[in-house]
């Protein structure tokens, strides 16, 4: 009975994840006439190689431009997140200074405050910086203090022997040199974990790009897919093709690099 419940729950959880993806894939391969004849999302397409809906999504949905805007934001935001997070963790773990516990407490408090309560102030700050309506607005917001990234870097830095720092100092290295030549190269597993977790979150985010980049020319994959529903509101086969184009990159990256995510979190949990 216990085994039956265990496998039953696993099958149910798998169905919850797989069935919506299967429905999107099958619908994206069907024609408008097939959808009119049978609107079931799990109906099989007559032609498994019908890619017309994907072509429409690329040309009329401007998905290629959306992928470029998303890639631009991802590149700079992730570089900033890695350097800010690793430098903060290095300073907190390797240096003693007044108010160290207060700083850590403030990080924790900032993480606990609901983001929606600070949106008015955040909007005014972004507007004051003169980056409203550009790709630099979400980049700056994504690069902001991320307590999860700092925590991951902190756990890995604590596993690096302080003797390495001391040996480098004897050779005349300063704090910045130690960070750059000793600490940062040893943080590769942590960097991979942060890049994957943060990258997927940025890729799927809708709120920040929609609020700070209202122009259609600056649409990301999430906002372009939302606007895509307008002219194709009744064409679910085309909308499904656009959704599939958005899903495929994250699915491929996750399946290829999932071991880094598991190893990174497992290492952070046991150290």
């Amino acid at each position: 009975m216990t085994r039956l419940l265990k496998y039953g729950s696993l099958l149910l959880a798998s169905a919850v994840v797989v069935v919506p993806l299967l429905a999107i894939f099958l619908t994206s391969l069907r024609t408008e006439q097939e959808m009119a004849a049978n609107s079931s999302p799990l109906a099989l397409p007559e032609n498994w190689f019908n890619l017309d809906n994907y072509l429409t999504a690329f040309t009329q949905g401007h998905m290629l431009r959306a992928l470029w805007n998303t890639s631009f934001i991802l590149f700079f935001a992730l570089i900033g997140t890695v350097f800010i997070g690793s430098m903060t963790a290095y300073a907190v773990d390797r240096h003693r200074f007044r108010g160290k516990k207060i700083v850590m407490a403030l990080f924790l408090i900032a993480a606990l405050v609901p983001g929606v309560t600070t949106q008015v102030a955040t909007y005014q700050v972004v507007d004051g910086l003169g980056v409203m309506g550009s790709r630099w607005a979400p980049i700056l917001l994504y690069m902001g203090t991320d307590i999860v990234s700092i925590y991951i870097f902190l756990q890995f830095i604590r596993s690096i022997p302080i003797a390495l720092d001391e040996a480098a100092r004897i050779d005349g290295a300063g704090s910045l040199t130690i960070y750059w030549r000793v600490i940062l190269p040893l943080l590769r597993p942590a960097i991979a974990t942060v890049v994957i977790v943060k990258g997927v979150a940025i890729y799927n985010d809708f709120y920040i790009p929609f609020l700070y980049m209202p122009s259609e020319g600056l649409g990301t994959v999430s906002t372009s897919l939302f606007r895509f529903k307008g002219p194709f509101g009744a064409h679910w086969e085309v909308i499904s093709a656009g959704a599939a184009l958005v899903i495929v990159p994250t699915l491929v990256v996750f399946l290829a690099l999932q071991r880094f995510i598991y190893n990174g979190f497992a290492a952070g949990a046991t150290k």
Side-chain angles (χ1 to χ4, degrees):
M1 186 64 180
T2 305
R3 179 175 294 183
L4 183 63
L5 287 174
K6 182 173 70 176
Y7 285 106
S9 62
L10 289 174
L11 286 173
L12 181 61
S14 300
V16 169
V17 175
V18 172
V19 169
L21 296 177
L22 184 62
I24 289 173
F25 175 69
L26 293 176
T27 304
S28 69
L29 297 177
R30 300 172 67 192
T31 63
E32 185 178 354
Q33 290 73 22
E34 291 177 68
M35 290 296 294
N38 185 356
S39 61
S40 172
L42 295 178
L44 299 180
E46 293 181 1
N47 181 9
W48 288 87
F49 299 99
N50 174 29
L51 301 178
D52 292 344
N53 297 325
Y54 288 90
L55 184 62
T56 303
F58 254 115
T59 55
Q60 299 184 33
H62 306 294
M63 296 305 293
L64 192 61
R65 184 178 63 192
L67 287 170
W68 161 248
N69 288 331
T70 305
S71 301
F72 184 91
I73 293 171
L74 273 172
F75 179 76
F76 289 101
L78 290 177
I79 287 179
T81 299
V82 167
F83 279 108
I84 292 174
S86 58
M87 282 186 172
T88 303
Y90 172 65
V92 168
D93 185 68
R94 288 295 204 263
H95 296 274
R96 295 182 178 180
F97 53 90
R98 289 184 179 180
K100 181 176 176 179
K101 292 184 179 178
I102 297 176
V103 171
M104 292 303 296
L106 289 175
F107 278 142
L108 185 60
I109 292 172
L112 294 175
V113 174
V116 67
T117 61
T118 60
Q119 281 307 307
V120 175
T122 303
Y123 190 91
Q124 290 178 339
V125 170
V126 172
D127 189 39
L129 291 173
V131 293
M132 183 66 71
S134 73
R135 287 174 292 198
W136 293 106
I139 289 173
L140 289 176
L141 291 173
Y142 292 136
M143 283 196 305
T145 304
D146 183 354
I147 191 65
V148 176
S149 301
I150 293 174
Y151 176 76
I152 293 173
F153 284 124
L154 202 55
Q155 298 306 309
F156 274 86
I157 287 178
R158 284 173 179 167
S159 69
I160 300 173
I162 297 180
L164 293 177
D165 298 38
E166 295 172 345
R169 288 192 186 279
I170 292 174
D171 290 339
S175 296
L176 191 58
T177 304
I178 293 172
Y179 163 78
W180 182 253
R181 294 190 175 182
V182 178
I183 301 296
L184 194 60
L186 295 175
L187 290 178
R188 287 175 186 167
I191 292 173
T193 304
V194 169
V195 166
I196 294 168
V197 174
K198 183 91 175 183
V200 171
I202 295 173
Y203 186 87
N204 292 327
D205 188 31
F206 172 80
Y207 180 74
I208 289 179
F210 189 73
L211 181 62
Y212 295 98
M213 297 192 304
S215 170
E216 290 190 15
L218 295 174
T220 61
V221 289
S222 58
T223 56
S224 294
L225 187 62
F226 173 75
R227 295 188 180 104
F228 194 52
K229 188 177 179 305
F232 296 97
H235 299 276
W236 286 104
E237 68 281 3
V238 182
I239 294 175
S240 296
L245 291 173
V246 172
I247 292 172
V248 167
T250 52
L251 194 62
V252 170
V253 170
F254 179 80
L255 292 177
L257 304 176
Q258 58 178 319
R259 65 188 179 90
F260 289 105
I261 300 176
Y262 299 141
N263 291 340
F265 280 121
T270 55
K271 287 173 183 172

